[in-house]
Amino acid sequence: MNTYDAVIVGARAAGAATAQLLARHGLSVLLLDRGQYGADTLSTHALMRGGVLQLSRWGLLDEVIAAGTPPVRRTTFRYANDTVPITIKPSYGVDALYAPRRTVLDPILVDAAVYAGVKVRYGVAVTGVRRDLRGTVTGIVGRARDGSVFEAKARIVVGADGIRSTIAECVGAPFERVGQSTAAVTYGYWSALETDGYEWNYRPNAASGVLPTNGGQACVFASATPRRVGRGGIEVLTKIVAESSPDLARRLAEAAPPSSLKTFTGLRGYLRRSWGAGWALVGDAGYFKDPLSAHGLTDALRDAELLANAIVDGSPEAVADYQATRDALSTKLFDVMDVVAGHGWTDEEIPGLLLQLNAAMADEVDAIDALPVPPPHPLYASTPRC
Ligand SMILES: Cc1cc2nc3c(=O)[nH]c(=O)nc-3n(C[C@H](O)[C@H](O)[C@H](O)COP(=O)(O)OP(=O)(O)OC[C@H]3O[C@@H](n4cnc5c(N)ncnc54)[C@H](O)[C@@H]3O)c2cc1C
């Protein structure tokens, strides 16, 4: 059985990013996923400034742009009686936002991990952790696609395995915060939709938006209470869009609709304890908030770097500090999102809530910018774009 400095379970935003950073620091890393390379997942994909900044700092933003991801230079918020267009100002070396499909972003992160020296195995479903006599986690056990048992030993096992994290369950990671609200979201990809950037529309129990993405398509989503969204679909989306923005409804009617939509039926936000003897959690495995925040990917990339730095440091205090920093940077956004996801706000209240959200994001970008630049990637330039 091979022994690694780190075994990471989950090869998407959080796991692949953590893996490539650890490998850049010279650690031996095994990255496992039960799925397939390049497969899509249930997620829209708007990156906020912090996420774009991370890709830029790691030298990977050019890959995202080369994949034909359109730059987003304007964000428009629409409320009951107000439309607020905001131009994305260049700062921290970021002059545009991007919403790459997960079929684009996740392989870029995995490739970066492979080129940095990470060993990647798909088709391995991890089912448990191994511990020593003191209870310290020392490795994982799982099953490969051919039914064979798969085992690996590691100094640290990282659960980057998403909202139903097996690693979090196996180590008994307690929920330290659980939100009150759940929203549901239904979304799909329109072609030939007239749009000039991110769009976010907010009316009581009817939020919607547009995220321009690869292949000349735009992801259009609608969010409301789970009761209202139900199983989702185009009729539900069209009604919610018509209520939240008649202007977007008109443009949707002129565009080419998708043949099917995807629907997320909702989950309350949480923060889980994310470290212990021989283990850590990163990404949705340890911290989840409603998708209407459009912030899970940005947080996953941020926390990947915080965790990688802590693992490289190697002391238990550093891993504890990782969680403390994550929580300090997340709590404001988590609390506001819990209110927004409740869909119980009024037309008068929502602009103020979004201002609070925006302030929380600004703090995060400052914190990312202050992180030490990781060692250069063997293949990609790590100089931030200016
Ligand atoms: C509907 C929806 C819309 C969203 N929209 C946005 C958005 O616009 N912007 C944004 O920033 N965020 C958005 N999010 C949030 C975002 O999708 C997540 O925050 C992000 O995917 C977290 O990445 P992750 O790597 O932690 O987990 P995931 O992307 O969930 O990846 C986990 C990986 O672990 C693997 N795995 C799980 N269990 C095992 C196991 N036992 N063994 C082996 N492998 C395993 C899975 O196969 C998967 O590949 C949205 C979420 C949803 C549900």
Side-chain angles (χ1 to χ4, degrees):
M1 196 193 317
N2 287 327
T3 302
Y4 299 87
D5 288 322
V7 169
I8 300 180
V9 183
R12 288 191 182 272
T18 308
Q20 63 102 12
L21 288 165
L22 290 177
R24 283 161 78 153
H25 282 279
L27 273 65
S28 63
V29 184
L30 174 65
L31 179 62
L32 299 172
D33 202 294
R34 65 183 172 200
Q36 284 180 350
Y37 175 81
D40 205 356
T41 186
L42 184 65
S43 170
T44 64
H45 30 78
L47 292 175
M48 297 297 144
R49 193 181 291 271
V52 178
L53 175 57
Q54 286 299 64
L55 293 172
S56 168
R57 294 175 68 248
W58 301 340
L60 302 179
L61 186 58
D62 287 343
E63 300 291 308
V64 171
I65 296 168
T69 315
V72 170
R73 300 192 194 280
R74 183 189 287 263
T75 290
T76 303
F77 291 89
R78 293 192 197 86
Y79 306 111
N81 300 310
D82 209 3
T83 297
V84 184
I86 297 171
T87 300
I88 307 298
K89 290 198 190 109
S91 68
Y92 300 98
V94 171
D95 62 3
L97 304 181
Y98 296 87
R101 290 287 299 259
R102 296 295 296 270
T103 50
V104 170
L105 177 66
D106 295 356
I108 287 173
L109 292 167
V110 172
D111 290 351
V114 170
Y115 289 127
V118 173
K119 188 168 173 195
V120 182
R121 277 280 308 260
Y122 282 94
V124 175
V126 173
T127 52
V129 293
R130 293 270 186 244
R131 296 175 186 268
D132 65 13
L133 291 175
R134 289 178 173 170
T136 300
V137 171
T138 54
I140 58 90
V141 59
R143 201 158 282 282
R145 270 206 199 105
D146 62 6
S148 60
V149 173
F150 184 96
E151 288 189 81
K153 284 186 183 169
R155 193 160 59 78
I156 187 161
V157 169
V158 176
D161 47 347
I163 51 177
R164 271 171 273 282
S165 167
T166 301
I167 299 299
E169 286 308 304
C170 289
V171 299
F175 288 92
E176 294 185 339
R177 295 275 316 267
V178 177
Q180 305 287 318
S181 311
T182 46
V185 61
T186 188
Y187 69 93
Y189 295 88
W190 268 254
S191 299
L193 177 68
E194 189 196 316
T195 180
D196 73 343
Y198 286 166
E199 301 181 36
W200 313 97
N201 310 310
Y202 291 93
R203 296 300 313 278
N205 203 12
S208 66
V210 178
L211 316 169
T213 188
N214 306 87
Q217 293 192 306
C219 175
V220 180
F221 66 85
S223 165
T225 55
R227 193 190 169 105
R228 176 158 198 204
V229 172
R231 291 182 175 186
I234 202 146
E235 275 183 29
V236 173
L237 180 139
T238 308
K239 268 192 195 159
I240 293 174
V241 167
E243 252 177 62
S244 53
S245 170
D247 171 65
L248 175 58
R250 177 190 56 73
R251 284 178 286 133
L252 272 193
E254 290 166 2
S259 54
S260 63
L261 269 69
K262 289 183 174 178
T263 301
F264 176 69
T265 52
L267 179 71
R268 283 193 286 169
Y270 57 77
L271 283 150
R272 289 184 97 148
R273 163 117 189 211
S274 290
W275 65 279
W279 64 272
L281 303 177
V282 68
D284 279 6
Y287 166 38
F288 176 79
K289 67 257 124 211
D290 189 81
L292 194 50
S293 66
H295 216 70
L297 292 165
T298 292
D299 284 342
L301 301 183
R302 175 198 74 193
D303 295 342
E305 186 155 347
L306 294 176
L307 177 60
N309 288 348
I311 293 173
V312 169
D313 179 291
S315 66
E317 295 77 23
V319 190
D321 276 356
Y322 147 70
Q323 182 181 341
T325 308
R326 179 199 71 180
D327 292 356
L329 290 172
S330 304
T331 305
K332 242 197 278 178
L333 189 137
F334 181 87
D335 289 341
V336 184
M337 258 333 285
D338 201 34
V339 179
V340 174
H343 283 287
W345 33 263
T346 62
D347 284 328
E348 290 68 37
E349 287 165 339
I350 188 66
L353 289 168
L354 296 181
L355 278 180
Q356 289 177 43
L357 201 63
N358 196 44
M361 291 190 203
D363 292 349
E364 169 184 84
V365 177
D366 285 342
I368 291 172
D369 192 53
L371 290 173
V373 176
H377 190 280
L379 202 63
Y380 308 109
S382 65
T383 321
R385 292 159 56 83
C386 294

